[in-house]
Amino acid sequence: MITSVKNEKVKALRKLHNRKDRSDSEVFLIEGFHLVEEACKSDWTVKEIIVQHGVEAPRCCEGIAVLEVSDNVFQHISQTKAPQGIAAVLSMKYNNKSAGSRILLIDSIQDPGNLGTIIRTADAAGFDGVVLGQGTVDLYNDKVIRSSQGSLFHIPILHRKLQDEIVLLKEKGFNIWATALEDAKKYSEVVVNEKVALIVGNEGAGVKKELLETADTIVNIPIYGKAESLNVSIAAGILMYYIRK
């Protein structure tokens, strides 16, 4: 059992709080029983389980190396206020191409809670994949992972330049939808094609102009009250479920 926060292994785990260190090592950290169980049941590679002294790893994680640490060490590694005493180190996963008929494109979303919620909703709505464009918050950010509630492990997620991905999708017969407040059609009045890719944009700036210009259909969601706009994760959910109707 490791009991010192100065241990080199503990230092390496602590470094996974930082995006650069995650990228350099191509591994990331998850926490909590639910996420660990979802990871172990998925086709992602779980390299190691970390447990606080007195905590047992779930049965689904049998065959994976387990590292036991003291209470103070786990607190040092943890990124949550009330840690459950279990974490895991996973290898990053790289998907090469999108497949299916319902794809979500993410343009520069910055809030990790929004991105995680959108991934979770895309999974729930039965979308076939999510493409993260440049300028989007790190997929392996702790808050993104926790907000996704394990959906990160259920749905293919790609990192792409969206302009290039849109060209490929159009070649495959996709109708490209983008969200905007102006010069847009009410989403519920638009016919849903067999293949649809939906672009949702940055919380403040929306979808970039150059991406709007590539869209086949620009849609909006009517605002009936006095709010200026909807949260991007809520808007994405409404549109994804409409597309899947």
Side-chain angles (χ1 to χ4, degrees):
M1 182 173 66
I2 296 176
T3 59
S4 173
V5 297
K6 295 182 180 180
N7 180 281
E8 291 303 316
K9 178 74 173 181
V10 174
K11 289 180 180 178
L13 291 170
R14 177 80 177 184
K15 283 184 177 181
L16 297 180
H17 294 189
N18 304 315
R19 182 172 188 168
K20 182 181 184 304
D21 289 292
R22 289 194 295 267
S23 297
D24 290 346
S25 61
E26 297 189 328
V27 297
F28 64 102
L29 194 66
I30 64 172
E31 277 189 68
F33 279 97
H34 176 68
L35 286 173
V36 171
E37 288 172 354
E38 291 295 304
C40 289
K41 290 186 289 186
S42 75
D43 61 355
W44 287 60
T45 300
V46 181
K47 298 177 72 68
E48 188 173 40
I49 306 292
I50 301 99
V51 294
Q52 186 175 322
H53 179 62
V55 175
E56 290 188 12
R59 288 186 178 181
C60 62
C61 299
E62 287 181 1
I64 300 170
V66 176
L67 175 68
E68 185 178 12
V69 301
S70 61
D71 295 1
N72 66 307
V73 169
F74 198 90
Q75 290 284 348
H76 186 68
I77 295 168
S78 175
Q79 297 181 78
T80 61
K81 292 181 180 179
Q84 296 177 15
I86 187 166
V89 177
L90 279 74
S91 298
M92 293 180 178
K93 188 174 181 180
Y94 301 98
N95 292 292
N96 295 319
K97 57 184 178 180
S98 54
S101 59
R102 299 288 185 265
I103 304 295
L104 181 66
L105 308 179
I106 305 290
D107 177 28
S108 303
I109 285 179
Q110 293 293 294
D111 184 270
N114 282 339
L115 180 58
T117 300
I118 288 170
I119 291 170
R120 182 180 180 183
T121 307
D123 178 22
F127 262 54
D128 300 301
V130 177
V131 182
L132 306 183
Q134 295 171 319
T136 297
V137 63
D138 180 23
L139 173 64
Y140 302 108
N141 176 292
D142 175 62
K143 291 181 180 178
V144 173
I145 295 169
R146 282 191 278 120
S147 296
S148 82
Q149 283 292 299
S151 287
L152 167 74
F153 307 122
H154 303 160
I155 185 170
I157 301 174
L158 294 76
H159 292 81
R160 287 285 188 275
K161 186 175 181 182
L162 293 188
Q163 287 92 335
D164 295 341
E165 187 67 16
I166 289 168
V167 170
L168 294 174
L169 289 169
K170 284 191 172 186
E171 289 175 355
K172 295 178 182 178
F174 275 79
N175 187 260
I176 310 299
W177 288 28
T179 55
L181 295 176
E182 298 178 358
D183 301 320
K185 297 178 181 179
K186 183 178 177 181
Y187 79 93
S188 57
E189 296 175 353
V190 178
V191 175
V192 179
N193 294 53
E194 184 178 342
K195 294 183 177 181
V196 177
L198 169 66
I199 312 171
V200 294
N202 177 269
E203 290 88 346
V207 177
K208 292 187 186 73
K209 182 180 179 182
E210 56 265 34
L211 294 177
L212 288 174
E213 291 172 350
T214 67
D216 300 299
T217 307
I218 299 176
V219 299
N220 66 15
I221 300 170
I223 302 294
Y224 299 110
K226 296 181 180 179
E228 290 186 2
S229 62
L230 285 169
N231 172 279
V232 65
S233 63
I234 299 295
I238 292 170
L239 294 172
M240 283 190 283
Y241 269 90
Y242 177 74
I243 289 168
R244 282 291 300 176
K245 68 176 184 176

